[in-house]
Amino acid sequence: MKLTFCCANTPPEPWLEGLRAALPEAELSVWESGAPPADYAIVWSPPQVMVDQQPGLQAMFAIGAGVDKLLGLRLPPGLKLVRLDDAGMAVQMAEYVCHAVIRHFRDFDAYAAAQRDACWAQREPRRREQFSVGLLGLGVLGSRVAQALRAFEFPLLGWSRSPKALDGVQCHHGADGLNDFLAGSQVLVNLLPLTTETEKLLNRDTLGRLRPGGYLVNVARGAHLVEADLLALLESGQLAGATLDVFRTEPLPPEHPFWHHPRITVTPHVSARTLRDESIAQIARKIRALQRGESIAGVVDPVRGY
Ligand code: NDP
Ligand code: OXD
């Protein structure tokens, strides 16, 4: 079995070493133009020429959960595109989102500012029963985040494409369910895949429908958000703030207004990192399953876009 590695900005050697241990029978290579045909590819942002030169691929494994960039390539019909299924990302996402939500709920930024002025000033506590958190996306990551947030007893809402039932979450789905979902949410956490249906979903209209004091946590993709609309809603006071991990342009340019906005927290796309060992173990397991002719989880539906 031949396996080729083609991941932009990722030093290949540690991956190859892990893959050698997990799949000793595989012949491994780092992809280069003109390379001989492989059976499987492990990819992140591969060039179109790589796909074109590897018509014999049985499956292409992304080393991330979101495959929006990969679906921008011309992929041969029938090629399985497989995304990472948690692989250690869900617990990281739960940590990040709980931290962002609680930081806002407990006014920790205000206390940090007060400490800088040596100011002892207790603030009025927020009311938990009014601090509803809405999760856009209830998939692998969204459902794990919901489970973690439940421990803090916030009212939880969720929105997905198909109907869902999650303990402790008021679930809505589809275009018809979006209005009620937004109207019931104060904090909005975005964990949707980027597709033609979800691009620019976070805009003046949708964000403007959140409950008073609305707050955005975007941990999915920058292109979900209309950045100028967020700035306008913060300016008008309709939104209280935002925590943003993903951006239309990454790295976020130094002159971008988000960097120094007093009510925006920026992190550099780190809310859930790809963990090499967990990812290698998952990909190796799936390759073995495919070799045995079994079906695997995480195969992307190109029509749905995730
Ligand atoms: P999943 O595919 O498991 O879940 C996606 C969820 O979104 C599902 O609940 C799905 O609904 C819902 N959804 C998709 N399209 C629509 C739509 N049009 N309307 C309503 N709901 C919709 O993905 P993951 O949870 O694994 O990952 C989510 C995203 O998180 C990734 O696509 C990626 O962009 C981002 N991500 C960001 C990271 C970071 O570090 N910032 C790290 C990892 C991922 P249904 O359940 O009905 O199918
Ligand atoms: C992913 C990401 O999709 O890192 O896995 O954003």
Side-chain angles (χ1 to χ4, degrees), residues 83 138-141 160-162 164 197 219 245 271-272 306:
R83 56 70 168 251
L138 293 172
V140 173
L141 303 183
S160 52
R161 221 164 73 114
S162 54
K164 292 258 176 309
E197 286 176 22
V219 279
D245 184 50
S271 49
Y306 67 101

Side-chain angles (χ1 to χ4, degrees), residues 44 63-67 89 220-221 269 272 274:
W44 194 246
I63 61 165
V67 290
M89 282 191 279
R221 286 291 181 265
H269 201 140
T274 293

Side-chain angles (χ1 to χ4, degrees), residues 64-68 83-86 89 93 136-142 159-164 174 190-195 197-198 219-221 224 245-246 269-273 304 306:
V67 290
D68 39 287
R83 56 70 168 251
L84 283 181
D85 228 336
D86 184 353
M89 282 191 279
M93 199 53 102
L136 287 165
L138 293 172
V140 173
L141 303 183
W159 187 66
S160 52
R161 221 164 73 114
S162 54
K164 292 258 176 309
N190 179 33
L191 274 163
L192 292 168
L194 180 63
T195 66
E197 286 176 22
T198 64
V219 279
R221 286 291 181 265
H224 284 126
D245 184 50
V246 288
H269 201 140
V270 290
S271 49
R273 313 294 297 274
R304 228 173 42 158
Y306 67 101

Side-chain angles (χ1 to χ4, degrees), residues 114-154:
Q115 183 178 355
R116 284 193 287 276
D117 297 334
C119 172
W120 181 279
Q122 295 179 341
R123 299 171 66 88
E124 193 61 28
R126 291 181 206 272
R127 294 179 59 186
R128 188 178 309 275
E129 71 279 9
Q130 291 181 355
F131 192 82
S132 50
V133 182
L135 299 166
L136 287 165
L138 293 172
V140 173
L141 303 183
S143 55
R144 181 67 183 83
V145 169
Q147 184 200 336
L149 283 170
R150 266 191 81 194
F152 300 101
E153 300 175 18
F154 299 120

Side-chain angles (χ1 to χ4, degrees), residues 175-282:
D176 293 345
L178 186 59
N179 262 340
D180 286 349
F181 164 81
L182 291 169
S185 302
Q186 181 171 0
V187 176
L188 187 65
V189 178
N190 179 33
L191 274 163
L192 292 168
L194 180 63
T195 66
T196 47
E197 286 176 22
T198 64
E199 186 175 2
K200 298 188 182 163
L201 187 74
L202 305 175
N203 56 46
R204 190 185 293 258
D205 172 47
T206 52
L207 295 174
R209 280 191 267 157
L210 295 177
R211 295 187 45 197
Y215 190 94
L216 172 68
V217 180
N218 188 17
V219 279
R221 286 291 181 265
H224 284 126
L225 174 66
V226 181
E227 295 184 342
D229 288 2
L230 173 64
L231 290 169
L233 290 166
L234 289 169
E235 185 64 30
S236 70
Q238 226 176 323
L239 285 188
T243 292
L244 307 174
D245 184 50
V246 288
F247 305 90
R248 281 186 174 266
T249 306
E250 294 182 5
L252 188 65
E255 67 281 7
H256 197 287
F258 286 171
W259 278 118
H260 300 292
H261 195 289
R263 282 181 286 140
I264 294 180
T265 298
V266 167
T267 54
H269 201 140
V270 290
S271 49
R273 313 294 297 274
T274 293
L275 301 178
R276 192 172 55 236
D277 292 350
E278 286 82 343
S279 305
I280 288 172
Q282 182 173 112

